[in-house]
Amino acid sequence: MQSYADKVVVITGSATGIGLSLAGQFGMDGAKVVVSGLPSDDLATAVAELEGRGITAVSCVCDVSQREDVENLAEFAFAEFGQVDVLVNNAGIGQGMTPLIDMDLEDFRRVFEVNIFGVVHGIQVFGKRFIGQGTPAAIYNLGSENSIYPCVPSAHAYVSSKHSVLAMTELLAEEVPDFIEVAIIMPGLVKSELTKNLGLGMETDDFTARILAQLKAGEFYAVSHAYNKVRLQERYEKIAAAYDTYAPRHEGDDAFDIRTLISKL
């Protein structure tokens, strides 16, 4: 979307951090925003901060791991404004660095419930409404630099959840009607609730300003931290080297390429 003026933007997990900063960026571009978060989040303060900047903002409690909560969020947003144009699946949780052999499975599942199923809930609930609405819309999912390489050692649940979000978003972009834009936002180290104990990272508003410019330009991969390209290239070169050694290209090697085969069905 080249402009978010008069658009209604719903952002999950937006009481603080990247979510709240994104709400500000969309709002300053003319959007009406719906911020959401857990019952323990200070949503009133988030709304007041946005309203203090002249942004139309309302809030709704939502635990994205609970399908009913996401459905209630959609009902609230549509009732409040009559339409929703953009969903940002921003809500996510992190984890400590724990060797996989020792990690508690309930902790692993909790990360997946929020970071993967929370995104699925948002896509399905709002996506169906967007299709029924039939007007230009967008679904933006929060991935991470961890979507393209494991940058945090022993963060198995978090890293694998963000890899999943990348795959899910790429496939989603192929499935939805042309009037629905899809993008993945891939922050590196940014000052947020997830990184507050580190006291390090790109300034949040600097990051979200970069992201908004890319979303307005219609980019699918919304990126920020330049050094990630080095890590991405390192991973690609190792995989490519394995293929060059043990499965080099040859004439007719597309005989078992799944994409080629599916295209012929």
Side-chain angles (χ1 to χ4, degrees), residues 54-154:
I55 298 169
T56 300
V58 295
S59 67
C60 181
V61 171
C62 179
D63 177 350
V64 297
S65 70
Q66 303 301 310
R67 178 66 170 240
E68 184 178 0
D69 273 20
V70 179
E71 291 171 344
N72 289 339
L73 175 61
E75 287 289 340
F76 170 83
F78 277 89
E80 191 76 19
F81 294 110
Q83 68 179 59
V84 173
D85 306 288
V86 178
L87 169 68
V88 184
N89 282 309
N90 171 74
I93 59 174
Q95 64 155 112
M97 291 184 287
T98 305
L100 182 58
I101 290 174
D102 300 323
M103 188 172 182
D104 186 286
L105 281 181
E106 287 307 309
D107 293 338
F108 206 110
R109 289 190 181 97
R110 178 58 183 163
V111 173
F112 272 40
E113 287 293 338
V114 177
N115 294 6
I116 298 179
F117 287 100
V119 174
V120 173
H121 293 159
I123 290 169
Q124 292 187 337
V125 170
F126 283 87
K128 288 178 181 178
R129 286 177 175 261
F130 289 167
I131 292 171
Q133 196 168 251
T135 55
I139 298 173
Y140 303 140
N141 297 329
L142 258 290
S144 165
E145 60 188 354
N146 286 282
S147 295
I148 56 175
Y149 78 98
C151 71
V152 180
S154 295

Side-chain angles (χ1 to χ4, degrees), residues 8-223:
V8 177
V9 180
V10 175
I11 308 175
T12 64
S14 49
T16 59
I18 290 174
L20 180 57
S21 183
L22 280 171
Q25 297 288 351
F26 283 114
M28 294 307 293
D29 199 56
K32 305 175 183 69
V33 297
V34 180
V35 297
S36 68
L38 298 172
S40 57
D41 291 336
D42 191 353
L43 293 170
T45 297
V47 169
E49 178 181 327
L50 294 169
E51 289 179 335
R53 300 167 63 184
I55 298 169
T56 300
V58 295
S59 67
C60 181
V61 171
C62 179
D63 177 350
V64 297
S65 70
Q66 303 301 310
R67 178 66 170 240
E68 184 178 0
D69 273 20
V70 179
E71 291 171 344
N72 289 339
L73 175 61
E75 287 289 340
F76 170 83
F78 277 89
E80 191 76 19
F81 294 110
Q83 68 179 59
V84 173
D85 306 288
V86 178
L87 169 68
V88 184
N89 282 309
N90 171 74
I93 59 174
Q95 64 155 112
M97 291 184 287
T98 305
L100 182 58
I101 290 174
D102 300 323
M103 188 172 182
D104 186 286
L105 281 181
E106 287 307 309
D107 293 338
F108 206 110
R109 289 190 181 97
R110 178 58 183 163
V111 173
F112 272 40
E113 287 293 338
V114 177
N115 294 6
I116 298 179
F117 287 100
V119 174
V120 173
H121 293 159
I123 290 169
Q124 292 187 337
V125 170
F126 283 87
K128 288 178 181 178
R129 286 177 175 261
F130 289 167
I131 292 171
Q133 196 168 251
T135 55
I139 298 173
Y140 303 140
N141 297 329
L142 258 290
S144 165
E145 60 188 354
N146 286 282
S147 295
I148 56 175
Y149 78 98
C151 71
V152 180
S154 295
H156 295 276
Y158 184 76
V159 173
S160 56
S161 75
K162 292 304 182 178
H163 271 58
S164 176
V165 170
L166 173 59
M168 192 188 318
T169 308
E170 289 176 331
L171 290 171
L172 178 67
E174 299 177 352
E175 299 169 344
V176 296
D178 290 341
F179 61 82
I180 299 179
E181 294 181 6
V182 175
I184 181 164
I185 301 169
M186 299 196 293
L189 185 60
V190 176
K191 292 181 179 178
S192 69
E193 286 300 298
L194 289 181
T195 63
K196 62 183 180 182
N197 292 332
L198 297 176
L200 300 170
M202 182 181 290
E203 292 296 332
T204 315
D205 288 343
D206 180 15
F207 167 72
T208 57
R210 296 180 187 210
I211 295 305
L212 191 74
Q214 293 172 69
L215 297 178
K216 292 176 72 173
E219 299 292 347
F220 177 80
Y221 301 102
V223 299

